[in-house]
Amino acid sequence: MGKKIFSGVQPTGNLHLGNYLGAIKNFVELNNDKHNHCIFCVVDLHAITTKQDPKELRNNIRETLASFLASGINPKRSIIFNQSRVSAHSEAAWILSCTARTGWLSRMTQFKEKAGKDKEKASVGLYSYPVLMAADILLYDSTHVPVGDDQKQHLELCRDIAQRFNSDFEVEDFFKVPEPIIQKEFSRIMSLKDGTKKMSKSELSDLSRINLTDDADQIINKIKKAKTDSFPMPSSKEELKDRPEAKNLMGIYSNLINSTLEKTIIDFSGKNFSEFKNSLSQVLVEKIVPISEEIKKLLTEKNYLDKILQDGHEKANEIASEKVKKIHEIVGF
Ligand code: TYM
């Protein structure tokens, strides 16, 4: 039997190489397997947990969809929709927030990172955001959730919520307990400026990330300027231990060519770093520029994009509203 796949991406600006290698590349592989049922969600409700400009948000929803399609997700073989159009997500999130314990949420490291020093100023939504994420997943009886490493803890919380709800209401197996799909290696792509920090949309410097909309010159320039160290290329994995930037760049290269870090180390051992950077730029340009050009083309076809979201939302709504009806019965509404 195929897997029931669900995953989401926030429409908070350009998607970057971290989103692509950590998540979207896996979406495409899972979507290519005809046995799987795939649902990919543009999570706009999650996006507004931090301040968004309404006009930009509307564009970013389309751009996120365009990035999915340009990366190779097939809209005929998956349901793609934006979260806010299926009201079941907000409803289920409320009900599940009565199952989730505050103690569980207060352990979430992403909230601590995103809220920064002044936690009191963070929105309530940012705090309870993993509960909405659990609703997203559980509404569709998802069996597998492909995500980057940074979402692992949220997935564990989702599993806890599902199990707790099933046992509190004595409805064994009502919510399916989903499995994360997280790559073993390179599941956390780091900033090009600091190998100890995650590559992220929110980092101020655009030089810290490769965007899926970058052109060849931008990519080459960013790799040229990417932080490295003064050591030669490593000849073993051990030599990469305290070299986060080198390790990250070599991981990106290995992931892009579907190879392993070990093989990349062998291929470049004894060479100088600038030679490696040239090869990395070349591979990046080969993979990312076609995606970037396709995104730009798709963004001129607004009606086509809106039609996909419309179709997707109808299909998603059918499944999710049925599940919410059952949730209502179970809790006694
Ligand atoms: P978001 O929008 O921050 O990121 C989307 C996906 O990209 C992955 N990712 C990374 N992977 C590797 N290295 C990085 N530097 C990197 N940055 C981002 C994320 O792990 C994610 O898989 N809460 C989620 C969205 C969400 C969701 C869901 C996911 C909402 N509901 C239900 C799965 C299932 C988020 O904010 O992802």
Side-chain angles (χ1 to χ4, degrees):
M1 223 191 48
K3 303 181 174 87
K4 284 191 176 176
I5 307 290
F6 185 100
S7 200
V9 175
Q10 291 197 53
T12 42
N14 282 336
L15 298 194
H16 53 70
L17 190 66
N19 300 123
Y20 179 70
L21 294 180
I24 299 172
K25 191 168 165 243
N26 283 346
F27 298 178
V28 176
E29 271 168 33
L30 291 161
N31 188 214
N32 283 341
D33 182 340
K34 289 196 178 75
H35 300 293
N36 294 335
H37 300 273
C38 295
I39 305 184
F40 301 115
C41 187
V42 180
V43 292
D44 48 8
L45 294 172
H46 277 104
I48 62 162
T49 55
T50 57
K51 196 165 179 358
Q52 302 297 324
D53 176 84
K55 223 164 138 192
E56 275 175 30
L57 179 59
R58 208 160 287 136
N59 286 332
N60 285 337
I61 291 169
R62 286 200 188 100
E63 191 167 318
T64 304
L65 166 64
S67 306
F68 284 176
L69 302 179
S71 303
I73 291 176
N74 182 345
K76 294 209 173 79
R77 255 201 281 123
S78 52
I79 298 176
I80 310 176
F81 72 106
N82 60 313
Q83 192 188 26
S84 62
R85 298 206 54 193
V86 178
S87 58
H89 290 247
S90 313
E91 265 191 78
W94 175 258
I95 296 170
L96 295 180
S97 76
C98 301
T99 296
R101 306 290 93 186
T102 57
W104 302 351
L105 277 171
S106 56
R107 283 198 288 274
M108 295 296 116
T109 52
Q110 195 175 79
F111 173 74
K112 289 177 196 160
E113 278 163 26
K114 282 202 175 172
K117 284 194 192 86
D118 205 350
K119 289 195 185 38
E120 308 244 322
K121 291 230 170 86
S123 71
V124 174
L126 189 67
Y127 183 69
S128 63
Y129 145 145
V131 180
L132 175 61
M133 181 164 158
D136 299 340
I137 297 165
L138 299 177
L139 278 172
Y140 300 91
D141 296 335
S142 316
T143 60
H144 292 82
V145 183
V147 283
D149 179 69
D150 61 329
Q151 297 298 321
K152 194 173 171 195
Q153 203 185 22
H154 293 160
L155 250 292
E156 278 157 15
L157 182 90
C158 171
R159 291 166 57 88
D160 287 344
I161 292 176
Q163 281 161 339
R164 179 67 174 259
F165 184 96
N166 290 347
S167 78
D168 277 357
F169 292 98
E170 297 178 21
V171 282
E172 203 188 331
D173 224 24
F174 173 70
F175 281 133
K176 300 283 169 287
V177 181
E179 296 292 334
I181 299 184
I182 300 174
Q183 298 176 121
K184 279 197 197 75
E185 273 195 305
F186 329 123
S187 54
R188 184 179 283 256
I189 304 298
M190 310 310 269
S191 157
L192 300 179
K193 290 271 135 206
D194 179 349
T196 63
K197 268 170 93 185
K198 195 179 73 168
M199 184 178 285
S200 120
K201 296 171 208 170
S202 52
E203 188 167 333
L204 276 180
S205 169
D206 196 53
L207 290 174
S208 69
R209 62 186 161 259
I210 305 284
N211 300 307
L212 294 188
T213 48
D214 282 348
D215 61 26
D217 288 345
Q218 286 169 309
I219 292 172
I220 293 165
N221 182 42
K222 285 177 181 180
I223 294 302
K224 210 178 267 166
K225 296 205 168 124
K227 187 177 170 195
T228 42
D229 50 42
S230 51
F231 300 106
M233 291 299 288
S235 49
S236 72
K237 238 179 167 176
E238 286 69 55
E239 283 177 44
L240 279 176
K241 236 180 181 175
D242 298 313
R243 300 177 62 187
E245 286 83 16
K247 188 172 177 200
N248 185 42
L249 294 180
M250 294 182 80
I252 291 174
Y253 179 84
S254 314
N255 190 334
L256 282 168
I257 63 164
N258 294 318
S259 183
T260 62
L261 189 56
E262 284 80 358
K263 172 115 192 359
T264 301
I265 290 172
I266 294 169
D267 289 349
F268 287 93
S269 166
K271 299 193 172 148
N272 57 36
F273 225 101
S274 61
E275 210 173 318
F276 167 71
K277 277 191 168 183
N278 284 340
S279 300
L280 174 60
S281 294
Q282 203 181 331
V283 172
L284 274 166
V285 167
E286 268 166 34
K287 296 274 176 189
I288 302 301
V289 171
I291 295 178
S292 165
E293 285 173 355
E294 183 65 14
I295 292 174
K296 284 172 198 141
K297 187 179 138 249
L298 283 166
L299 285 174
T300 64
E301 300 171 24
K302 287 204 169 75
N303 291 343
Y304 171 66
L305 295 177
D306 291 349
K307 172 88 173 54
I308 291 177
L309 290 178
Q310 176 64 24
D311 287 352
H313 127 253
E314 283 168 15
K315 289 182 191 146
N317 199 39
E318 218 170 282
I319 305 170
S321 59
E322 271 307 304
K323 192 79 178 172
V324 158
K325 246 193 236 162
K326 290 185 190 146
I327 298 174
H328 278 206
E329 274 168 33
I330 290 171
V331 300
F333 291 158

